[in-house]
Amino acid sequence: TKGFDYGIDSELVNFYREDAVGAWRSELKPWVSTEFSNTWGRIKPKLVYRSTHYNFDDGRDSINRSLPILSLDSGLTFEKWQNTGSYKTIEPRLFYVYAPEKDQGDIPIFDSRRLTFGSTMLFQTNRFSGADRQADMNQAALAITHRSFEASGEERWNITLGQINYFDDQV
């Protein structure tokens, strides 16, 4: 395991409401990643195996959904130092993510919602919050961030511009 990070993200949730179907939802997401980096750049591949299980309290059959999610995050950092000790950076970043299409029509939506679009969506592995939906993804985001720092290292401001390129239609 030298040079690798790994772990398991998990949750167990009970959804109950008197006038609706309820369920126990368990999710396990084992993951492994590594990072190749130096002072001017980095590449970080990551593999997640998302396994979600639903056990309904109305007697219907349980449902399982399992799928891999692969991401590759890479970036460079260019610095320009000022005579005052302050500095600015320009940081291009490329983020690729792949998650296969999986029919989820039989899974009720308990707590998932589409995320609001913002610059953080450039680097997400899912377009949904919660565990009831996993978006199919085959896309790359290309972004550039410009930052300004005080001599103390405190960030003054930053701005990020980016675009997501979709290689497959979103379902």
Side-chain angles (χ1 to χ4, degrees):
T1 61
K2 185 177 180 183
F4 286 92
D5 293 324
Y6 53 89
I8 296 178
D9 297 328
S10 63
E11 74 174 16
L12 177 63
V13 182
N14 182 17
F15 295 99
Y16 173 79
R17 210 169 81 188
E18 284 189 29
D19 58 341
V21 65
W24 281 92
R25 180 183 70 204
S26 61
E27 181 168 63
L28 291 175
K29 291 193 300 188
W31 56 270
V32 61
S33 70
T34 190
E35 185 168 355
F36 307 98
S37 64
N38 56 31
T39 57
W40 50 267
R42 65 178 167 73
I43 296 175
K44 184 177 184 177
K46 184 174 185 179
L47 177 63
V48 177
Y49 189 75
R50 187 172 192 179
S51 181
T52 312
H53 176 80
Y54 293 83
N55 188 10
F56 299 98
D57 57 10
D58 65 355
R60 73 171 88 171
D61 291 340
S62 62
I63 297 173
N64 296 300
R65 178 194 61 207
S66 297
L67 53 93
I69 302 168
L70 173 66
S71 64
L72 180 66
D73 194 1
S74 61
L76 298 170
T77 302
F78 300 98
E79 295 179 352
K80 180 179 180 183
W81 288 84
Q82 309 292 320
N83 291 338
T84 61
S86 64
Y87 63 99
K88 295 181 178 171
T89 65
I90 293 181
E91 304 167 23
R93 184 174 176 186
L94 177 65
F95 182 78
Y96 174 78
V97 62
Y98 176 79
E101 181 181 338
K102 189 86 165 183
D103 181 13
Q104 301 169 77
D106 56 346
I107 299 174
I109 299 176
F110 291 108
D111 66 350
S112 287
R113 300 288 180 265
R114 186 174 281 275
L115 294 171
T116 304
F117 186 79
S119 61
T120 58
M121 286 294 294
L122 293 166
F123 313 113
Q124 295 286 333
T125 58
N126 195 1
R127 291 185 295 274
F128 299 96
S129 66
D132 299 323
R133 293 293 178 265
Q134 171 61 52
D136 60 306
M137 302 179 91
N138 185 12
Q139 65 191 47
L142 183 58
I144 189 161
T145 300
H146 183 38
R147 301 178 199 269
S148 178
F149 294 90
E150 300 285 348
S152 65
E154 183 179 344
E155 187 177 70
R156 286 187 210 157
W157 53 264
N158 73 60
I159 185 169
T160 298
L161 300 171
Q163 179 176 337
I164 299 174
N165 297 301
Y166 301 98
F167 301 118
D168 293 328
D169 291 336
Q170 299 175 13
V171 178

